[in-house]
């Protein structure tokens, strides 16, 4: 039985681990730059350059390697080859390759330790509930309040009393005008999203002095949405109004549209009113989530769909731009940022998960140019095309500038 003497490192590189190949090339470059004996350094440089050329060739021929990973590997190894073969480049890049990388990594670990220590100091260790506190059973209490006690289980009333969570303001953001004020029938809809379900509560007003019979709101959807409960026909008296309800089922995180027509009969004539489209925002389905760097990298290499968005913004600060993207996309930033240092380059990974269990990965690479403007790219990856395109459209719309603060 033949024994396979191939090393584990070679097996992993030949197997398609492009990232490991670029790390090996970096380590070999550092060894060559640190070599003091001229003859030995020359031999090491020749072997290292041949090895790095083989790694790049392997990355190009490996079917499992992602295109972007291959491009990053080629760019990085090209710089390392130039540092070994060009004396001028060697003089400029030697200190950066040998020392600057380890110093930056040491500062990164130091900032992580300081942040974890500050989080531990801020943790509130006080006891919120004592062991002998009374337990409130709401079902066993009398209907009338006794002795002025407050029902602590009624969180909604307490929230309203303290001024938090004003639901009317949030509801107004989801009210859509479906028809014009000059139309015979005015209609508007309140859209409520409950994960997999969308509920449309439509207010229909008859603006004519006649009775409208067989009034029907005919709805249709575009995208992965299905109408479960269609609006019922009704009759509305002169200058009267009614509420109509419809339910829609959602099956994936994609941008969808709801459109339709109001059909009614006014005596012997039949009228039609085309309704404005309702654009369903992807932010209604996205939730911030957390994953480790290894899981993020594995999903990044696995996911097929990628959307690349060029950065075009009036924001001039790197951290402010990153915070704006994180807040606008409802995602979590997985990369810790040292805000005490002023840099001209920033890279961060963002992660979120939809209510349907779909993962959304975002990589932000932005630099500050000589003219003070920001440039770079934001790359989005996901398993499905819809979430990548929808999230890309969202970033394109919100990245240009910060929202204006309203003054009252």
């Amino acid at each position: 039985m033949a024994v396979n003497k191939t090393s584990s490192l070679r097996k992993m590189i030949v197997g398609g681990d492009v990232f490991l190949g670029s790390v090996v090339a970096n380590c070999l470059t550092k060894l060559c730059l640190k070599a003091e004996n001229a003859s030995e350094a020359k031999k090491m440089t020749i072997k290292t350059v041949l090895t790095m050329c083989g790694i790049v060739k392997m990355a190009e021929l490996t079917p499992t390697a992602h295109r972007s990973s291959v491009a990053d590997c080629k760019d990085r190894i090209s710089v390392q080859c130039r540092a070994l073969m060009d004396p001028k480049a060697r003089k400029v890049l030697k200190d950066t390759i040998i020392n600057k990388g380890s110093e930056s990594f040491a500062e990164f670990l130091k900032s992580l330790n300081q942040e974890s220590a500050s989080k531990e100091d801020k943790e509130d260790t006080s006891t919120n509930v004592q062991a002998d506190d009374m337990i409130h059973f709401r079902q066993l209490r009398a209907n009338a309040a006794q002795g002025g006690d407050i029902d602590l289980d009624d969180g909604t009333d307490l929230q309203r009393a303290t001024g938090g969570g004003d639901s009317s303001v949030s509801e107004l953001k989801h009210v859509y005008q479906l028809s014009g004020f000059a139309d015979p029938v005015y209609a508007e809809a309140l859209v409520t999203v409950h994960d997999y379900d969308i509920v449309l509560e439509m207010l229909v007003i008859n603006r004519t002095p006649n009775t409208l019979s067989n009034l029907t709101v005919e709805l249709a959807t575009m995208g992965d949405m299905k109408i479960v409960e269609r609006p019922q026909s009704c009759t509305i008296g002169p200058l009267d109004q009614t509420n109509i309800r419809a339910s829609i089922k959602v099956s994936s995180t994609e941008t969808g549209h709801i459109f339709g027509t109001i059909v009614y009969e006014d005596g012997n004539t039949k009228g039609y009113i085309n309704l404005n489209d309702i654009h369903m925002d992807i932010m209604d389905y996205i939730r911030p989530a957390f994953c480790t760097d290894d899981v993020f990298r594995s999903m990044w290499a696995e996911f097929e769909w990628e959307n690349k968005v060029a950065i075009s913004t009036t924001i001039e600060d790197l951290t402010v731009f990153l915070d704006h993207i994180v807040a606008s996309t409802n995602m979590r930033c997985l990369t810790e940022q040292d805000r005490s240092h002023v840099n001209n380059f920033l890279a961060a990974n963002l992660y979120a998960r939809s209510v349907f269990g779909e993962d959304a990965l975002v990589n932000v690479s932005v630099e500050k140019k000589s003219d003070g403007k920001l440039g770079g790219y934001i790359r989005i990856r996901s398993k499905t095309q819809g979430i990548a395109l929808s999230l890309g459209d969202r970033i394109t719309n919100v990245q240009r500038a910060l929202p204006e603060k309203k003054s009252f």
Side-chain angles (χ1 to χ4, degrees):
M1 182 177 179
V3 179
N4 190 1
K5 296 183 180 180
T6 306
S7 63
S8 300
L9 181 62
R10 181 179 178 82
K11 287 181 181 178
M12 295 174 68
I13 295 177
V14 175
D17 197 336
V18 179
F19 178 75
L20 178 61
S22 61
V23 172
V24 170
N26 187 40
C27 294
L28 294 176
T29 304
K30 288 183 178 180
L31 291 175
C32 293
L33 294 177
K34 290 181 179 179
E36 298 179 355
N37 192 340
S39 60
E40 293 294 330
K42 188 174 182 180
K43 293 179 182 179
M44 290 174 60
T45 301
I46 295 173
K47 292 182 179 180
T48 299
V49 172
L50 291 175
T51 302
M52 289 192 291
C53 291
I55 291 173
V56 173
K57 191 67 176 178
M58 177 275 306
E60 292 177 345
L61 298 177
T62 303
T64 58
H66 202 276
R67 291 182 180 179
S68 59
S69 301
V70 175
D72 294 340
C73 177
K74 290 173 66 176
D75 292 343
R76 191 172 183 181
I77 290 180
S78 298
V79 173
Q80 293 163 354
C81 288
R82 188 176 179 185
L84 293 177
M85 302 176 67
D86 188 356
K88 293 182 179 180
R90 184 191 188 98
K91 185 178 180 181
V92 175
L93 298 175
K94 183 177 180 179
D95 183 62
T96 303
I97 294 176
I98 295 177
N99 299 322
K100 296 298 183 181
S102 58
E103 292 176 2
S104 300
F105 186 67
E107 291 181 0
F108 174 70
L109 293 179
K110 184 179 179 181
S111 63
L112 286 182
N113 293 332
Q114 291 177 351
E115 186 171 349
S116 61
S118 62
K119 286 182 179 179
E120 291 178 359
D121 295 338
K122 291 180 181 179
E123 286 182 356
D124 187 9
T125 57
S126 60
T127 305
N128 294 327
V129 180
Q130 298 294 334
D132 57 348
D133 283 352
M134 181 183 299
I135 300 176
H136 295 270
F137 292 97
R138 189 173 181 179
Q139 291 81 0
L140 303 179
R141 296 192 59 174
N143 293 331
Q146 298 177 0
D149 293 338
I150 301 176
D151 189 355
L152 298 179
D153 296 322
D154 198 350
T156 305
D157 289 344
L158 285 177
Q159 193 174 22
R160 291 176 179 174
T162 55
D166 191 357
S167 60
S168 60
V169 177
S170 61
E171 286 180 357
L172 288 176
K173 296 179 181 179
H174 295 86
V175 174
Y176 297 86
Q177 182 178 343
L178 301 180
S179 63
F181 293 108
D183 290 326
V185 178
Y186 173 78
E188 64 181 20
L190 171 63
V191 181
T192 307
V193 180
H194 299 288
D195 294 343
Y196 296 88
D197 299 317
I198 299 176
V199 179
L200 269 68
E201 297 180 5
M202 292 172 284
L203 172 64
V204 180
I205 302 176
N206 180 9
R207 299 174 60 86
T208 66
N210 305 322
T211 300
L212 303 181
S213 59
N214 295 328
L215 187 143
T216 307
V217 181
E218 298 180 352
L219 297 176
T221 59
M222 181 182 298
D224 289 341
M225 296 188 296
K226 182 181 179 182
I227 300 177
V228 179
E229 180 185 350
R230 293 188 176 275
Q232 300 295 324
S233 300
C234 61
T235 300
I236 306 179
L239 304 177
D240 198 2
Q241 66 182 34
T242 185
N243 292 316
I244 301 176
R245 182 186 178 93
S247 298
I248 298 174
K249 202 78 171 177
V250 185
S251 57
S252 67
T253 312
E254 292 187 12
T255 301
H257 296 270
I258 304 172
F259 55 95
T261 307
I262 294 179
V263 183
Y264 61 91
E265 295 179 1
D266 186 359
N268 296 326
T269 60
K270 202 167 187 178
Y272 300 89
I273 299 175
N274 293 324
L275 303 179
N276 297 326
D277 293 355
I278 298 177
H279 176 79
M280 297 308 303
D281 195 353
I282 189 177
M283 293 298 103
D284 293 330
Y285 312 112
I286 292 292
R287 302 289 184 271
F290 176 79
C291 70
T292 61
D293 292 339
D294 295 336
V295 175
F296 186 93
R297 268 197 299 269
S298 63
M299 289 192 295
W300 187 268
E302 176 187 354
F303 291 171
E304 299 177 354
W305 294 102
E306 178 174 320
N307 189 8
K308 193 174 183 180
V309 179
I311 294 176
S312 174
T313 179
T314 58
I315 303 173
E316 298 183 353
D317 188 87
L318 295 173
T319 55
V320 172
F321 176 76
L322 177 62
D323 294 340
H324 175 56
I325 294 297
V326 171
S328 302
T329 56
N330 200 21
M331 305 188 78
R332 181 189 296 273
C333 182
L334 303 179
T335 307
E336 299 291 341
Q337 301 294 330
D338 188 4
R339 300 176 183 269
S340 60
H341 291 74
V342 179
N343 299 320
N344 293 328
F345 179 80
L346 185 146
N349 294 329
L350 312 181
Y351 176 66
R353 181 175 294 169
S354 69
V355 295
F356 310 104
E358 298 169 326
D359 299 303
L361 311 179
V362 173
N363 174 259
V364 181
S365 298
V366 56
E367 64 175 345
K368 195 166 188 177
K369 300 179 181 179
S370 57
D371 57 357
K373 295 182 179 180
L374 301 185
Y377 292 95
I378 300 175
R379 293 193 295 173
I380 307 141
R381 287 194 185 178
S382 63
K383 274 189 176 181
T384 58
Q385 182 184 17
I387 189 172
L389 295 177
S390 301
L391 202 54
D393 294 339
R394 172 71 178 179
I395 292 175
T396 303
N397 294 332
V398 303
Q399 70 163 329
R400 301 195 180 278
L402 290 171
E404 297 181 358
K405 294 183 179 180
K406 297 180 180 180
S407 58
F408 297 96

